[in-house]
């Protein structure tokens, strides 16, 4: 009565929960790690169907049921089995279609009662569905509950449509103990031989779109039996505990040819587990995975593992976060992927593929074989389609691997990619242009304590005039508007590292009101609910970050919010400090300010930075430093003239914004706004000329920036 897919959705939520008993009651709660990840989300059926059709469908195309018996399909993080259910249903449908088209073969095999003559009457008998299940469907999960649920879901799918009395003493369903196994897909038994393991928390491979449990790892002289059980290493090559006969068929007495093994299809939705939660696994990952990066999320390792399990000619496809394409931690993965046979990447941007969550997903498909110079890509702009396959087919474009840079991938058609390459060739990276002086704003660790209003500032200074020495004017990201002089009524108590707090008694007394919440977490502290800040070498009254570059806040500088829709750079000469949702560039170069606020710069930025929900982009140092800045030869009179003209226009823009800010809504203010628009257009014209942008290319820039 209830579809297995719906049951799967229910079970995913169950797997993300835990039962906690207290003397008074029993509570069902979300696991702490799941809460941190934002919840548990079941992979939508249309995603499963698309991935299955383009992997399983390609592998079995035009094959007979006898040939399909040898096909092996794997989900190495199967959860409640949604992808395996999708693959199983696809195989059932294919077999049924085949036998309806070949009824004589079906009768010869005694698959159907002799009185069912019409092909439309045919339905696969339970023993045939059981055979498909036993031959083709395989999965692994670290959680024994997930393994049980996957098995049950597959059994229910096999029994779907069965009616009436079934024969007694008939084994209707096969044992799936050799198909669905419990273990840690990413970690083998050699972790037990890995040198010193430190005390910590090892979260085990579950989160958004999945679930995970928490595993304590203890003992610098090795692991207890209980800890070994909880880490649950998995030996893929074991004949009994793993899948040795699939990965190494020459081990099998049935295979005398010594053929190379592997799975024909690897599919799934690997767990969304952030790198901060990987604990002592990082050392193991560094030793065993080419895609390792110290801040890589878990799915990066699942991608490499999944592809490594394929046999020649097989297909791999996951839905994963798209962050690997542009984040720093994705660089090893990007380099590794360029060596693989990428066939397609479908980017959903910030669309809510997982209901109630913003996960920035993409689908990636890889074939096991020689690398291809190009692959298909599509950017999905809406979920209001009747068929994902039809939508992608209409929006696919080709990406040349040679155009992809290790620093970040941009999924753009060849015309856009050529323009991006041209713009990058016209300048030097911003990081080089400003000698690396690009910094994040101040991370306090507890804004409520360190950020104060004017009234509090005045009171602290009245209590102790020396307080003024460490109270700084302060900006939040939302205070920063393009070209406008920054204004704020907020202030920062800047108790940087090494400060003698006793010199500022009023501030010490004020901060003591927050002491419990300001305490750094001790390294050996155990428990779930620490009231204070994260571990660190700072004192309770100090700003959490070291902020060694704090002197740069006092100087003229360019500031930009970390997350905005378009260029919003401002020039500050008033010594504002700013929060960690901003970036500062230590320079008073108005020529640079004009370049950064131009459409050309934004066109490049939108191609290299990570996206956020609602059409926002991350303007963070890792992306800013890549922006190409056109250098000027000031000894060349014509170039100097262009430089001076641009600086003059930027200076005018700053002045116009000051005048605008001083006026209430009025005809005079509207007149200034028109002058601002004209000046902005002139700045863009000069920048287009500096980068050699043609009229056709200008159309590309402005159309892309307007999306």
């Amino acid at each position: 009565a209830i579809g297995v897919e719906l049951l799967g959705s229910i079970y995913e939520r169950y797997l993300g929960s835990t039962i906690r008993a207290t003397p008074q009651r029993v509570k069902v709660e979300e696991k702490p790690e799941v809460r941190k990840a934002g919840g548990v989300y079941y992979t939508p059926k249309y995603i499963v169907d698309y991935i299955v059709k383009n992997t399983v469908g390609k592998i079995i195309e035009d094959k007979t049921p006898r040939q399909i018996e040898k096909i092996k399909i794997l989900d190495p993080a199967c959860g409640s089995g949604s992808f395996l259910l999708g693959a199983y249903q696809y195989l059932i449908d294919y077999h049924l279609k085949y036998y309806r088209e070949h009824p004589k073969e079906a009768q010869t095999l005694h698959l159907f009662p002799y009185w069912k003559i019409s092909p439309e009457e045919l339905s696969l008998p339970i023993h045939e569905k059981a055979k498909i299940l036993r031959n083709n469907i395989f999965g692994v999960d670290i959680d024994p509950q997930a393994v049980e649920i996957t098995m049950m879901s597959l059994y229910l799918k096999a029994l779907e449509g069965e009616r009436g009395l079934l024969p007694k003493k008939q084994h209707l369903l096969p044992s799936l103990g050799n198909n669905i196994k419990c273990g840690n897909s990413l970690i083998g038994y050699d972790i037990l031989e890995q040198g010193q393991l430190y005390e910590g928390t090892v979260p085990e491979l579950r989160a958004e779109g999945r679930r995970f449990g928490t595993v304590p790892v203890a003992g610098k002289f090795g692991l207890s039996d209980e800890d070994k059980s909880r880490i649950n290493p998995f030996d893929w090559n074991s004949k009994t505990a793993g899948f040795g006969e699939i990965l190494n068929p020459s081990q099998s007495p049935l295979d005398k040819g010594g053929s190379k093994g592997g799975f024909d299809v690897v599919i799934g939705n690997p767990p969304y587990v952030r790198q901060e939660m990987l604990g002592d696994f990082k050392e193991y990952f560094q030793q065993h995975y080419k895609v390792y990066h110290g801040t890589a999320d878990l799915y990066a390792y699942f991608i490499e593992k999944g592809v490594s399990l394929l046999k020649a000619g097989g297909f791999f496809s996951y839905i994963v976060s798209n962050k690997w394409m542009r984040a720093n931690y994705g660089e090893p993965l990007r380099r590794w992927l360029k060596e693989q046979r990428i066939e397609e990447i479908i980017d959903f941007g910030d669309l809510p593929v997982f209901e109630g969550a913003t996960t920035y997903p993409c689908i990636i498909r890889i074939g096991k074989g020689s690398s291809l110079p190009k692959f298909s890509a599509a950017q999905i702009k809406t979920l209001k389609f009747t068929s994902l396959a039809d939508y992608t087919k209409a929006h696919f474009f080709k990406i040349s691997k040679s155009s992809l840079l290790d620093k970040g991938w941009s999924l753009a058609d060849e015309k856009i990619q050529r323009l991006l390459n041209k713009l990058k060739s016209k300048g030097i990276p911003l990081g080089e242009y400003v000698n690396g002086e690009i910094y994040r704003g101040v991370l306090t660790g507890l804004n409520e304590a360190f950020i104060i209003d004017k009234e509090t500032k005045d009171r602290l200074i009245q209590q102790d005039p020396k307080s003024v020495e460490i109270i700084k004017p302060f900006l939040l990201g939302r205070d920063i508007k393009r070209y406008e002089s920054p204004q704020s009524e907020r202030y920062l108590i800047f108790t940087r590292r090494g400060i003698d707090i006793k010199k500022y008694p009023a501030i010490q007394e004020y901060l003591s009101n927050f002491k419990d919440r300001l305490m750094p977490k001790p390294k050996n502290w155990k428990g779930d609910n620490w009231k204070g800040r994260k571990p660190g070498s700072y004192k309770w009254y100090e700003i959490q970050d070291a902020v060694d570059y704090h002197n740069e806040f006092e100087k003229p500088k360019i500031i930009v919010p970390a997350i905005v829709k378009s260029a919003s750079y401002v020039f500050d000469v008033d010594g504002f400090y700013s929060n960690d949702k901003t970036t500062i560039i230590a320079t008073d170069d108005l020529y640079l300010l004009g370049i950064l606020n131009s459409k050309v710069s934004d066109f490049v930025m939108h191609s290299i930075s990570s996206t956020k929900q609602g059409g926002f982009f991350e303007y963070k140092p890792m992306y800013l430093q890549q922006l190409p800045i056109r250098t000027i030869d000031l000894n060349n009179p014509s170039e100097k003239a262009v430089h001076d003209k641009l600086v003059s226009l930027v200076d005018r823009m700053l002045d116009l914004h000051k005048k605008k800010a001083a006026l209430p809504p009025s005809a005079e203010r509207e007149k200034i706004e028109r002058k601002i628009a004209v000046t902005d257009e002139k700045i863009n014209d000069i920048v287009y000329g500096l980068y050699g942008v043609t009229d056709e290319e200008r159309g590309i820039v402005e159309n892309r920036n307007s999306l």
Side-chain angles (χ1 to χ4, degrees), residues 657-669:
H657 274 285
K658 286 180 183 177
K659 291 178 178 178
K660 174 188 169 184
L663 292 172
S666 62
E668 183 62 25
R669 183 182 172 114

Side-chain angles (χ1 to χ4, degrees), residues 8 45 112 160 171 207 219 226 298 400 454 489 495 522 536 557 594 604 623 664 696:
K45 188 174 183 299
F112 306 102
E160 228 172 35
H171 293 286
E226 181 182 359
L298 196 69
S400 175
K454 186 177 185 302
E489 290 291 308
T495 48
K557 58 189 175 295
V604 178
Y623 305 121
E696 181 185 359

Side-chain angles (χ1 to χ4, degrees), residues 334 337-340 342-345 371-377 396-406 408-418 420-421:
R334 291 190 291 269
L337 281 170
K338 285 180 77 171
E339 300 173 359
Q340 311 305 315
I342 302 175
E343 299 195 349
E344 74 173 22
I345 298 177
S371 181
L372 297 170
K374 296 182 179 182
F375 61 87
S376 297
F396 268 137
F397 51 86
K398 288 292 183 182
I399 298 283
S400 175
K401 278 187 180 178
S402 61
S403 70
L404 298 173
L405 304 178
D406 291 344
W409 286 13
S410 174
L411 296 186
D413 64 35
E414 293 187 23
K415 187 180 292 186
I416 292 174
Q417 195 61 55
R418 280 197 301 270
L420 287 168
N421 291 341

Side-chain angles (χ1 to χ4, degrees), residues 419-480:
L419 176 54
L420 287 168
N421 291 341
K422 173 181 175 177
L423 297 175
K424 291 174 184 178
S425 72
K426 293 288 185 178
I428 64 174
L430 176 60
E432 181 181 341
Y433 185 88
V434 297
N435 298 314
E437 294 190 327
I438 305 174
Y439 307 108
R440 184 178 75 167
V442 178
L443 176 64
T444 69
L446 185 65
N447 288 345
E448 185 180 343
F450 293 101
I451 299 175
I452 58 176
D453 57 20
K454 186 177 185 302
E455 182 182 348
T456 305
K457 179 204 76 163
D458 292 342
R459 186 176 71 250
L460 290 172
I461 293 173
Q462 185 178 18
Q463 291 172 2
D464 176 19
K466 283 180 65 66
S467 298
V468 73
E469 297 176 6
I470 58 172
I471 296 179
K472 310 293 182 180
F474 193 67
L475 299 171
L476 304 180
R478 63 175 177 266
D479 297 324
I480 298 167

Side-chain angles (χ1 to χ4, degrees), residues 65 99 107 161 241 245 348 544 551 557 574 612 646 698:
Y99 286 126
Q107 291 296 342
E245 292 189 356
F348 290 88
Q544 185 168 294
N551 287 333
K557 58 189 175 295
D574 295 322
K612 303 294 286 185
L646 181 56
R698 182 169 178 159

Side-chain angles (χ1 to χ4, degrees), residues 25-53:
R25 68 188 70 181
V26 173
K27 292 183 177 180
V28 178
E29 300 176 338
E30 273 193 309
K31 293 176 181 176
E33 300 81 2
V34 173
R35 284 199 300 272
K36 290 178 183 178
V40 172
Y41 304 98
Y42 189 74
T43 311
K45 188 174 183 299
Y46 73 91
I47 297 290
V48 173
D49 291 346
Y50 181 88
I51 288 176
V52 168
K53 182 178 179 180

Side-chain angles (χ1 to χ4, degrees), residues 440-447 449-451 470 472 474 491-499 501 511 518 520 533-534 536-550 553 577-578:
R440 184 178 75 167
V442 178
L443 176 64
T444 69
L446 185 65
N447 288 345
F450 293 101
I451 299 175
I470 58 172
K472 310 293 182 180
F474 193 67
Y491 297 85
L492 171 69
I493 297 175
F494 189 60
T495 48
R496 62 186 180 88
R497 299 286 179 92
I499 194 170
I501 195 65
L511 291 177
L518 290 173
R533 294 183 285 174
K534 73 176 187 179
S537 59
Y538 56 92
K539 303 291 194 300
W540 70 266
Y541 50 80
E542 292 176 342
I543 294 290
Q544 185 168 294
D545 272 11
V547 200
D548 296 328
Y549 47 87
H550 62 91
F553 287 101
Y577 283 57
S578 56

